[in-house]
Amino acid sequence: VRTRDPNLAITSFKQIDLHIGDGVVLEASENFAKLHKRDPNFAIIQPLQHSTPPRNKTTTDKVRIFLCLFSLVLVVIFVASDLVQLSVAAILAVVFILCMQALTFEEAGRAISGNVIITIAAAFGIGNAFQQSGVADFLATSIVSSFGKGGNFFVMIGIYLATAFLSSVISNNATVVIMMHIGLRTALKLGLELKPFVYLMIFAASASYCTPIGYQTNLMVMAPGGYTFGDFFKFGFPLQLIVLIVTVVLVYFVLL
């Protein structure tokens, strides 16, 4: 239908008359193709994989939506109250969602990213290698000696910069795992708690603004938006500086 008018926005079939040869994207039940296989009014060109019709019309669907939100709230409350571990609470919530059929086993399986799991597992190995080989201690000593003259505030800036740089070339998950050992050694050398450095590294690893390879969504918008590597640095670097200043100031004055 949109081939006749690319600017046409259709919210209801009452707005337009269908012509012979028009292509229409329909969300229908799973047995739609089988029921209309011999229907002369439809010619299925290509089914969309993993596409399911919206489930928010019936009372049962609305109850499921409410229960999903309720399970999320319970997970947050239980974890924040230290009643159960996050992994246990998350697994129980998923089992609950599967039992009330708000999610199928196939959909749950597709939601698990094997690449992310492998990346995190490999990062743990790299992090342990950093620790046992003395690289983490060497980098921590280098950061303290380079930034330590300005006090703990500048050491935190050094940790943030190292984490942000690493996060620009590898995933943020792997960055946190690797930098955790360096942050631990730095905290021990300064006689400080690890908690402020953990928050610092979490925010720094998530602020992947300077390169398109720093985070998946950066790559997702690069081609459709026509962006270049330089565009990410031109707009991302000032934003990175703002986040650096805000994060370090808050962590230093609130948590340290």
Side-chain angles (χ1 to χ4, degrees), residues 30-246:
E30 295 181 358
N31 59 349
F32 179 86
K34 184 182 297 184
L35 292 176
H36 295 274
K37 185 177 181 179
R38 302 183 184 280
D39 191 336
N41 296 313
F42 293 97
I44 300 177
I45 300 174
Q46 180 183 0
L48 299 180
Q49 298 297 326
H50 309 312
S51 177
T52 56
R55 298 173 54 188
N56 55 9
K57 301 297 183 181
T58 66
T59 303
T60 304
D61 291 330
K62 293 178 180 178
V63 171
R64 288 187 178 123
I65 293 173
F66 172 78
L67 291 177
C68 287
L69 293 175
F70 181 69
S71 63
L72 175 62
V73 172
L74 286 182
V75 168
V76 174
I77 293 175
F78 287 159
V79 174
S81 304
D82 290 329
L83 295 176
V84 294
Q85 294 182 353
L86 175 59
S87 57
V88 176
I91 291 174
L92 291 176
V94 171
V95 172
F96 175 70
I97 291 173
L98 289 172
C99 289
M100 63 181 183
Q101 298 181 347
L103 188 70
T104 65
F105 283 96
E106 182 181 2
E107 291 170 338
R110 289 200 303 265
I112 299 174
S113 176
N115 292 334
V116 173
I117 294 175
I118 293 174
T119 300
I120 295 175
F124 274 108
I126 296 174
N128 290 332
F130 269 46
Q131 180 72 19
Q132 297 177 9
S133 64
V135 173
D137 190 66
F138 170 76
L139 292 176
T141 302
S142 301
I143 291 174
V144 172
S145 61
S146 301
F147 295 89
K149 296 179 181 179
N152 296 337
F153 184 84
F154 285 91
V155 172
M156 288 189 166
I157 292 179
I159 291 291
Y160 185 100
L161 290 175
T163 307
F165 173 77
L166 196 59
S167 183
S168 297
V169 293
I170 64 175
S171 71
N172 57 343
N173 300 314
T175 297
V176 171
V177 174
I178 294 172
M179 285 299 300
M180 189 64 66
H181 296 279
I182 300 173
L184 175 61
R185 301 303 302 176
T186 303
L188 291 175
K189 289 181 179 296
L190 297 175
L192 302 174
E193 292 184 2
L194 179 61
K195 184 178 180 180
F197 291 93
V198 171
Y199 279 95
L200 193 69
M201 290 182 289
I202 289 174
F203 281 102
S206 300
S208 307
Y209 307 130
C210 294
T211 64
I213 59 177
Y215 201 71
Q216 299 95 320
T217 50
N218 294 15
L219 286 173
M220 288 172 61
V221 301
M222 185 177 181
Y227 302 120
T228 63
F229 199 99
D231 291 330
F232 279 90
F233 185 82
K234 180 170 62 177
F235 293 100
F237 184 71
L239 184 59
Q240 186 75 269
L241 289 179
I242 295 173
V243 177
L244 184 155
I245 295 171
V246 173

